Amino acid sequence: MRQHLRVLSLLAAAMLVLVACAGGDAVTTTAPTTDTTAAPTDTTETTEATTETTAGATTTSGAVAACDSSVGLVFDIGGRGDQSFNDSAAAGLERAADEMGITFTEASPNDDGSNRAELLQLAADASDIVLAIGFLFEGDAAAVGAENPEVSFAVVDSPMLDFTDNPEGVPYGDNIAGLVFSEEQGSFLVGAAAALKSTTGTIGFIGGVSGVGGLIEKFEAGYQAGAMAVNPDIEILSEYITAAPDFDGFNAPDRAREIALAMYDGGADIVYHAAGGSGAGLFEAASVASDTSGSKVWAIGVDSDQYNTADPAVQEFILTSMLKRVDVAVFEAIRAQCEGTFTAGPTAYDLSVDGVGYSTSGGFVDDITDQLEDFKAQIVSGDIVVPTEPS
């Protein structure tokens, strides 16, 4: 069954290609469920509850009922294979197919994103719910969602609230949801990890694109705050690959490599990226700099556990990754559609529900996990309020 679904998905994606930040009081917080991929289910069966443990936190999923809903997913620019943001969304989609038996189609926009609205409409024509992966879909999803009130829409990284006539914002429509994350909280933890592990007292941050509603700046702000909570005198080098409206910074590994090498040459021994597919360049730079200098330097990944997705040749240089559970958000949106509990407006994923966090793959932060968990507890309790704007 799964193989058949994948064939359908690939065919639909090919057809589609051929044709072609948050506020307000209406925020729902949801606890994520495990991202363990189960075996394909028969449409008459229900899967058992499963558990997952990541960085000291355990989440448990309830039984998932079989579902015959159709799902259309439109990736951010670059599509599958970015080893980060898009691949995390794909994992959530595939999990829904495995555990609930949904059918799906997927597509990726042009390099300039000019056909986003067209792809959303094509997906809506064949789907019960359409998932748009990235804040750049906000305007198009609001418009296409309004034209297709019988179809549910969910957009990652946008609250999908209209502030035109209401300062607190109202959902664009009863069928339009936003999936938002507290990236600054997860970034605080990897910033603390960087400061705890740094031997030079200098660390770095590479952002993909600046000036996109403050989204990537949230990563930088949290990273700075976490590092300075450990060492107030730490030096933090920061650089963005491009500035909006040039979004090539999310898919420019060569440029990320150059920036990272300069940071390592400048004394940084750990560099964190929030730059999507460009992160591969950072990992390569960490390997090169380590070999050249004879002293090991580190990289920190983002969104997915990049120790598990990056080239095996660079795994040993990935200290940890800031986990942004896009996979969970995608799965839960589909599940809500199947269960008839889909809710318009923003749903928030923060540290209190393990919607963000850090990875422990490789064992490189095992010696500081207790300290990181203490910081996490202080953030969840409100004793630490993480800034969303860089200092």
Side-chain angles (χ1 to χ4, degrees):
M1 176 181 174
R2 174 64 185 278
Q3 187 175 19
H4 175 64
L5 290 174
R6 293 302 302 276
V7 171
L8 288 176
S9 171
L10 292 173
L11 287 174
M15 290 175 63
L16 292 176
V17 171
L18 286 172
V19 174
C21 294
D25 297 327
V27 178
T28 302
T29 302
T30 182
T33 58
T34 173
D35 64 355
T36 301
T37 302
T41 61
D42 182 88
T43 56
T44 61
E45 295 178 344
T46 300
T47 61
E48 297 297 325
T50 53
T51 60
E52 174 207 12
T53 301
T54 302
T58 302
T59 58
T60 304
S61 69
V64 181
C67 175
D68 61 0
S69 290
S70 56
V71 179
L73 186 144
V74 185
F75 291 111
D76 202 355
I77 292 172
R80 281 182 181 262
D82 68 347
Q83 301 179 349
S84 183
F85 191 71
N86 285 322
D87 281 355
S88 183
L93 180 66
E94 291 174 353
R95 180 187 166 204
D98 283 342
E99 295 191 18
M100 291 184 283
I102 59 99
T103 58
F104 66 85
T105 62
E106 60 183 60
S108 298
N110 297 332
D111 289 343
D112 63 1
S114 59
N115 63 336
R116 286 191 180 91
E118 183 178 7
L119 294 183
L120 290 175
Q121 183 58 62
L122 288 168
D125 289 340
S127 307
D128 298 308
I129 181 172
V130 176
L131 293 146
I133 311 304
F135 64 92
L136 291 171
F137 284 95
E138 179 176 335
D140 291 325
V144 176
E147 295 170 359
N148 297 269
E150 74 287 354
V151 178
S152 298
F153 288 78
V155 180
V156 172
D157 279 345
S158 170
M160 297 309 291
L161 292 174
D162 184 356
F163 297 95
T164 303
D165 298 318
N166 188 324
E168 295 184 354
V170 295
Y172 280 110
D174 293 338
N175 62 323
I176 304 174
L179 310 175
V180 295
F181 299 82
S182 296
E183 295 93 348
E184 73 281 0
Q185 294 182 353
S187 296
F188 183 103
L189 298 182
V190 298
L196 288 166
K197 285 289 190 176
S198 177
T199 59
T200 66
T202 300
I203 60 176
F205 171 81
I206 299 175
V209 182
S210 64
V212 287
L215 176 61
I216 306 303
E217 286 81 357
K218 289 170 65 181
F219 291 84
E220 181 185 7
Y223 183 66
Q224 288 179 343
M228 294 179 69
V230 172
N231 177 9
D233 297 322
I234 197 165
E235 182 178 2
I236 305 172
L237 310 176
S238 295
E239 186 168 345
Y240 286 78
I241 300 174
T242 62
D246 180 358
F247 295 100
D248 290 345
F250 290 129
N251 193 29
D254 290 346
R255 180 61 182 139
R257 182 180 185 275
E258 294 174 3
I259 294 172
L261 286 173
M263 288 181 173
Y264 292 131
D265 287 343
D269 57 352
I270 301 174
V271 178
Y272 171 42
H273 89 90
S278 298
L282 165 62
F283 303 147
E284 183 182 349
S287 175
V288 170
S290 296
D291 291 342
T292 302
S293 68
S295 298
K296 187 171 186 177
V297 297
W298 296 98
I300 296 177
V302 75
D303 296 336
S304 301
D305 182 350
Q306 296 202 282
Y307 178 90
N308 293 326
T309 62
D311 188 321
V314 300
Q315 280 183 324
E316 65 177 294
F317 303 101
I318 301 176
L319 178 66
T320 181
S321 296
M322 196 288 280
L323 301 178
K324 179 175 176 177
R325 302 303 303 273
V326 177
D327 58 329
V328 171
V330 165
F331 178 86
E332 292 293 347
I334 296 171
R335 181 173 180 172
Q337 175 68 27
C338 289
E339 295 178 347
T341 58
F342 183 89
T343 304
T347 297
Y349 294 83
D350 61 13
L351 269 181
S352 70
V353 296
D354 293 313
V356 293
Y358 64 97
S359 66
T360 58
S361 297
F364 305 128
V365 296
D366 287 354
D367 59 325
I368 60 171
T369 298
D370 288 348
Q371 291 159 281
L372 298 181
E373 287 300 301
D374 181 58
F375 278 126
K376 174 182 175 180
Q378 292 182 66
I379 293 171
V380 171
S381 69
D383 291 338
I384 293 177
V385 178
V386 184
T388 57
E389 296 181 1
S391 59

